[in-house]
């Protein structure tokens, strides 16, 4: 199923220059939106600072988990093992987890816990980042799904831990 979904999504790459450029933008540049949002959260509202601090903690946790899991499980990137439409140059490291997607969903989930409208906007952006990674040929769909779940779970864990500590 993963291979079939990859073929369908990645099969759209190379057909429309505008969409290809949009997906490359989403894959490479949209992540900076999350950094911009975090910087803005250090405003005056206490809950905004919580978004930034918990997001940063979640990002650190997901990066550690990614490093650990990629040492346990290696999965070659799609363009290394199959005929794929490649729109991005990428490392030849493991495809098993998508760092872009992990981090986007970690921040999105934390934002959603404190600000539903901001969280929904960031979730939409996270979805496009994940989709763009498959479209561009650097990840399989299941890599993206695993990464979105793990990024969100890390944020929920950090949030619960923060609640316990504050008691």
């Amino acid at each position: 199923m993963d291979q079939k979904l990859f073929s369908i999504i990645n099969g759209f790459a190379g057909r429309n220059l505008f969409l290809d450029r949009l997906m490359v933008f989403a894959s490479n540049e949209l992540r900076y939106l999350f950094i911009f949002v975090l910087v803005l959260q250090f405003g005056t509202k206490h809950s905004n600072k919580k978004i930034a601090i918990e997001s940063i903690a979640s990002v650190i946790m997901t990066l550690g988990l990614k490093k650990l899991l990629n040492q346990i499980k290696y999965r070659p990137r799609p363009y290394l093992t199959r005929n794929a439409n490649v729109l991005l140059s990428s490392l030849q490291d493991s495809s098993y987890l998508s760092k872009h997607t992990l981090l986007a969903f970690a921040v999105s989930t934390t934002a959603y816990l404190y600000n539903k409208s901001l969280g929904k906007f960031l979730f939409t952006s996270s979805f496009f980042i994940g989709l763009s990674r498959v479209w561009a040929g650097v990840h399989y769909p299941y890599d993206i799904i695993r990464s979105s779940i793990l990024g969100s779970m890390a944020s929920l864990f950090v949030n619960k831990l923060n609640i316990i500590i504050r008691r």
Side-chain angles (χ1 to χ4, degrees):
M1 182 71 158
D2 194 28
Q3 306 279 332
K4 192 175 222 176
L5 277 173
F6 174 82
S7 294
I8 291 168
I9 296 168
N10 182 252
F12 289 107
R15 292 185 180 182
N16 183 296
L17 184 61
F18 173 76
L19 289 177
D20 286 348
R21 286 184 177 170
L22 183 64
M23 290 300 178
V24 168
F25 173 82
S27 187
N28 284 339
E29 310 302 331
L30 198 54
R31 61 188 162 159
Y32 296 113
L33 168 71
F34 293 82
I35 296 168
F36 179 70
V37 167
L38 288 180
V39 169
L40 288 180
Q41 297 311 303
F42 278 108
T44 56
K45 286 186 179 179
H46 183 63
S47 64
N48 288 354
K49 288 180 184 172
K50 287 181 188 177
I51 292 172
I53 292 166
E54 285 187 25
S55 290
I56 291 167
S58 299
V59 162
I60 292 168
M61 178 182 283
T62 58
L63 288 174
L65 287 170
K66 179 188 180 339
K67 187 170 181 86
L68 175 68
L69 290 172
N70 279 348
Q71 289 184 4
I72 295 169
K73 170 82 173 161
Y74 174 80
R75 184 178 194 194
R77 292 193 182 265
Y79 62 82
L80 295 174
T81 59
R82 61 185 304 121
N83 189 13
N85 298 315
V86 181
L87 300 180
L88 296 170
S89 60
S90 185
L91 299 174
Q92 293 186 6
D93 60 345
S94 181
S95 171
Y96 187 68
L97 292 171
S98 165
K99 181 173 57 176
H100 293 78
T101 308
L102 272 169
L103 302 179
F105 274 90
V107 174
S108 298
T109 302
T110 301
Y112 185 80
L113 293 172
Y114 291 100
N115 182 329
K116 301 290 187 241
S117 59
L118 176 62
K120 288 176 186 177
F121 171 73
L122 292 177
F123 273 128
T124 302
S125 300
S126 299
F127 170 79
F128 281 113
I129 288 172
L131 176 65
S132 73
R133 303 297 288 169
V134 178
W135 186 292
V138 294
H139 284 287
Y140 289 101
Y142 286 6
D143 301 333
I144 301 304
I145 292 168
R146 275 190 290 273
S147 299
S148 63
I149 292 169
L150 187 60
S152 293
M153 286 176 55
S155 291
L156 292 172
F157 176 78
V158 166
N159 180 261
K160 293 297 179 198
L161 187 61
N162 189 26
I163 291 170
I164 292 168
I165 291 172
R166 287 187 302 196
R167 285 186 190 175

